[in-house]
Amino acid sequence: MPRYVEAEGLVLDSKPTGERHLRLTLLSPTLGLVTAMVRDSRSSTKPATSKKTKSASSRPDIFDRAAMQLEIPDAGTVHPNFYFLREYKVLHRHTGLGKSYAALEAAAGLSRLVAHNAPHFETCAPVYELCGKALESLENGAPPEAVRLKALFLLASAEGYAAREQWLPELPVTDQAVVITIMNRPASEAANLATDDAARLPKLRTAFERWLDEHTDLEVK
């Protein structure tokens, strides 16, 4: 008899595999990083709610936050944290991200980093919450570079890395002030930064990614 687990998750990646399936990479606050296979309703000739398999109520999309029923495979058939997706209910779809290429790029960059490093996180619940807030900020029009830098900084801090104590003091005073402003205020308020300060955000984010690569176990791709 099939065994199931109920979970909430965030879709970090979605890729076609074969002719009729999607391979999903999911971040769950309870299960961690999950790989799930699901029949792609756009390529399937069977109804999405066939008697044989309870499929997704809607086609999964990247950045979805969803409630899911996952079927646990037979022991020994696949690697840990691999499931078959049987039911899928969208809790929030970040459709607003499609209005801005920069927002999509920032969301994708954060998702790649989390997916690559999540197997090493002590717990995924704080990261799940952090990703949710970052995606919400991007969807609501917050400056993408500010959201991305803040999310990276908070992620590093959550993993125990001394970004505030080590990286921040190495910056010029003017750059320190920009970073502190981003950290201490909602990301949406970054839109009120002076033009020169906002223009420094991409370089600051790149510099922080370089510091993460050199001084932490986080891998930035």
Side-chain angles (χ1 to χ4, degrees):
M1 179 178 294
R3 296 174 298 151
Y4 300 96
V5 61
E6 307 285 339
E8 185 175 310
L10 179 68
V11 181
L12 300 178
D13 195 17
S14 174
K15 293 181 178 178
T17 179
E19 295 183 356
R20 298 185 177 181
H21 291 84
L22 294 174
R23 185 184 185 93
L24 306 177
T25 301
L26 309 165
L27 181 70
S28 166
T30 54
L31 300 177
L33 191 69
V34 168
T35 299
M37 295 289 291
V38 61
R39 182 181 291 274
D40 187 352
S41 59
R42 293 194 305 190
S43 60
S44 174
T45 57
K46 295 182 179 181
T49 55
S50 67
K51 293 182 180 179
K52 184 176 181 180
T53 302
K54 291 184 178 180
S55 185
S57 57
S58 61
R59 186 178 190 270
D61 199 6
I62 191 169
F63 310 133
D64 278 355
R65 181 169 62 86
M68 298 166 289
Q69 183 186 75
L70 302 167
E71 181 181 341
I72 303 172
D74 294 336
T77 57
V78 288
H79 59 77
N81 271 22
F82 182 96
Y83 301 88
F84 299 108
L85 180 63
R86 294 311 185 205
E87 293 185 3
Y88 185 88
K89 180 181 179 181
V90 176
L91 300 176
H92 184 76
R93 177 159 285 173
H94 295 90
T95 54
L97 290 175
K99 299 176 182 178
S100 165
Y101 176 79
L104 277 175
E105 186 178 39
L110 179 60
S111 294
R112 285 194 302 270
L113 183 141
V114 169
H116 189 70
N117 292 280
H120 310 296
F121 294 158
E122 184 174 344
T123 174
C124 284
V127 182
Y128 179 80
E129 182 178 358
L130 186 156
C131 287
K133 289 181 178 179
L135 291 174
E136 182 179 350
S137 295
L138 289 169
E139 184 176 33
N140 291 333
E145 285 292 348
V147 174
R148 195 168 178 180
L149 175 58
K150 184 169 186 175
L152 286 172
F153 196 95
L154 293 176
L155 175 60
S157 298
E159 289 302 298
Y161 297 114
R164 187 178 293 272
E165 295 80 7
Q166 294 180 8
W167 176 68
L168 193 57
E170 296 176 356
L171 299 176
V173 173
T174 51
D175 286 343
Q176 289 185 38
V178 174
V179 175
I180 290 171
T181 298
I182 296 298
M183 294 305 117
N184 293 340
R185 298 180 184 177
S188 59
E189 294 185 13
N192 298 323
L193 285 174
T195 301
D196 290 344
D197 290 340
R200 287 203 293 271
L201 288 176
K203 290 185 178 180
L204 284 170
R205 192 255 302 170
T206 300
F208 186 52
E209 290 177 340
R210 186 164 54 248
W211 182 85
L212 290 174
D213 269 336
E214 295 175 355
H215 298 281
T216 77
D217 292 329
L218 294 174
E219 296 186 26
V220 182
K221 290 193 172 184

